[in-house]
Amino acid sequence: PIFLASAGGWRPRAAARGVVALLSVAVLVCTGYAWNSMTDLKSTITQLGGLGLGSGDDGAVDIMLVGTDSRTDAKGNPLAPEELRMLRSGEEVATNTDTILLIRIPNDGSSATAISIPRDSYVDVPGIGMSKINAAYGATKEGTRARAVESGKSAGEAEREGTQAGRRALIDTVAKLTGVEVDHYAEVGLLGFVLLTNAVGGVDVCLKDAVREPYSGARFRAGRQTLDGPRALSFVRQRHGLPRGDLDRITRQQVFMASLAQKVLSAGTLTDSGKLSQLENAVSRSVVIDDNWDILKFVEQLKDLSGGKVRFATIPVLTEQGWSDDGQQSVVRIDPAAVHKFTDNLLNPQTAAGDVSRGDYTVDVVNAGTVDGLAGNVANILTNKGYQAGATTNSASDDKDSVVYAHSDDDGARALAKDLGGSVVRVDSALPDKHLKVVLTNTYEGPGSILDTGSQQDNRPASERVGNNRPPVTAGSDGPTCVN
């Protein structure tokens, strides 16, 4: 079981509820356009109303996806005993949302960016005050339900009112935290995780080290391997025994999601009617969406989406070892202003110089020196500034000092050089237009270097400061990213 910190200490929780939301992104965001020939999708998916969502008139569609540990499917039908055993579900049922994603998709369907919000983020919840964000749904639901019962309403009516209020509270909380108006809402059940993974024939992952962890049931060898649904559930639910705890679990979920998205986008999946039918069944059984969402129209916008344009990031956190104001709960402390800035930079790339937009440029970062993590640190900073994340590698170079390579010495290359503290720009005609490459050597002293110690309030090396805010994971790669 998953364990959550509470006033009474650590207590068991059922399997990772929200991880199914990650998989639903792959289906709803990456493969939906393949369903244009499946006209029954719109009639089979469960829809709900009254959530007070946005209109999407700002040039992009912003989707919030959450997960539940429901022992029923999206239609309210109880799961079969064999399905519950497959999910390794515990006895306790709650409405906390352990994985929360905000997804931005431009109206032209050219890209998809999913931002993870750690479940224990300590935030201001409307009507409740400071609380873990994963309690916004459940605490609001229960309070509303209890008041409805006291007023004489039936148990069923009170349950519906509570659920509706819980959903709205979570939507409002995420919107307030990120500064992004939520246009659509999707909620998924645990069963969907296994069904979606099995529908594509398993998903490839890669581990740096072998794992044997009893709480999640994770037992894996080191290296690359293909996981079916139940084993994949163990992979993405583990947090005990990981260096960064829940933050490493989020990274696992993201690389798994990227690998799944890449597989679903492959011709082998999109041309296989059997796999598409299984994907459709998985979504219809486990996904609930708002009733203003025209799925078929939406997925038509995504017909040109490629794996390389699907990426996953996590909001910055101050510490994952913080405490609530009353000292009773272990929480993830965040700075709302920093989250706003991070979200804005990631979703709305800022102008770099003149009329040049950082978002128009993809940047590869090469660590040609001996400083561990240098390429990742710098790539993370550049992504936060609005550049598109490219490859991050370690490789030898003949360059003595750090260099920005570009197809031509244009404004974008010069802006990147300035962002790095004044690096030299060199032309490499073999690079595609608007694709830049940064080579970092041991002489590098700019943002993200070991000399970049930040403010007086946080004088740790950048390698530690940005450890919880790594470069976004993208789906377009030669294979799964190896993780803890």
Side-chain angles (χ1 to χ4, degrees), residues 30-240:
C30 303
T31 68
Y33 62 86
W35 291 335
N36 279 307
S37 61
M38 299 183 183
T39 56
D40 61 341
L41 173 66
K42 189 172 182 179
S43 62
T44 59
I45 197 167
T46 303
Q47 296 183 293
L48 51 93
L51 295 179
L53 299 168
S55 61
D57 292 336
D58 56 357
V61 177
D62 295 300
I63 306 164
M64 194 175 86
L65 290 103
V66 301
T68 71
D69 66 347
S70 175
R71 303 315 195 266
T72 63
D73 64 17
K75 313 298 182 185
N77 302 312
L79 300 183
E82 59 269 21
E83 291 177 328
L84 292 174
R85 286 194 297 271
M86 177 175 62
L87 301 178
R88 296 166 58 98
S89 294
E91 295 297 325
E92 183 182 0
V93 180
T95 321
N96 287 340
T97 49
D98 281 355
T99 299
I100 302 168
L101 283 168
L102 180 66
I103 305 160
R104 162 67 59 87
I105 302 171
N107 287 341
D108 62 6
S110 59
S111 63
T113 302
I115 301 176
S116 296
I117 301 174
R119 64 179 189 173
D120 289 343
S121 298
Y122 199 52
V123 299
D124 187 12
V125 178
I128 295 177
M130 295 302 295
S131 172
K132 292 182 181 182
I133 197 168
N134 76 332
Y137 189 146
T140 302
K141 173 185 174 181
E142 178 54 27
T144 302
R145 186 202 64 78
R147 288 190 293 272
V149 170
E150 290 174 2
S151 68
K153 294 184 178 178
S154 68
E157 188 176 5
E159 178 73 13
R160 288 190 293 273
E161 285 190 13
T163 299
Q164 190 81 334
R167 286 167 174 155
R168 284 198 299 265
L170 183 57
I171 291 168
D172 291 344
T173 301
V174 170
K176 181 178 180 181
L177 175 65
T178 62
V180 176
E181 184 180 48
V182 177
D183 300 317
H184 290 298
Y185 176 89
E187 186 176 301
V188 291
L190 188 62
L191 179 64
F193 181 91
V194 172
L195 296 180
L196 291 167
T197 304
N198 288 342
V200 298
V203 174
D204 294 338
V205 301
C206 181
L207 282 170
K208 295 178 180 178
D209 301 295
V211 170
R212 183 183 291 266
E213 195 278 309
Y215 294 123
S216 64
R219 298 179 63 180
F220 305 111
R221 58 179 173 79
R224 183 168 176 169
Q225 51 211 289
T226 301
L227 305 183
D228 63 9
R231 297 186 70 226
L233 185 59
S234 294
F235 175 82
V236 296
R237 70 194 282 203
Q238 182 189 353
R239 68 184 179 94
H240 292 284

Side-chain angles (χ1 to χ4, degrees), residues 121-123 177 315-319 332-342:
S121 298
Y122 199 52
V123 299
L177 175 65
I315 64 168
V317 306
L318 298 177
T319 177
V332 172
R333 284 280 182 175
I334 61 175
D335 177 0
V339 173
H340 266 255
K341 183 177 180 181
F342 170 82

Side-chain angles (χ1 to χ4, degrees), residues 378-391:
V378 173
N380 177 66
I381 290 169
L382 294 179
T383 301
N384 288 349
K385 287 181 176 293
Y387 294 100
Q388 296 293 320

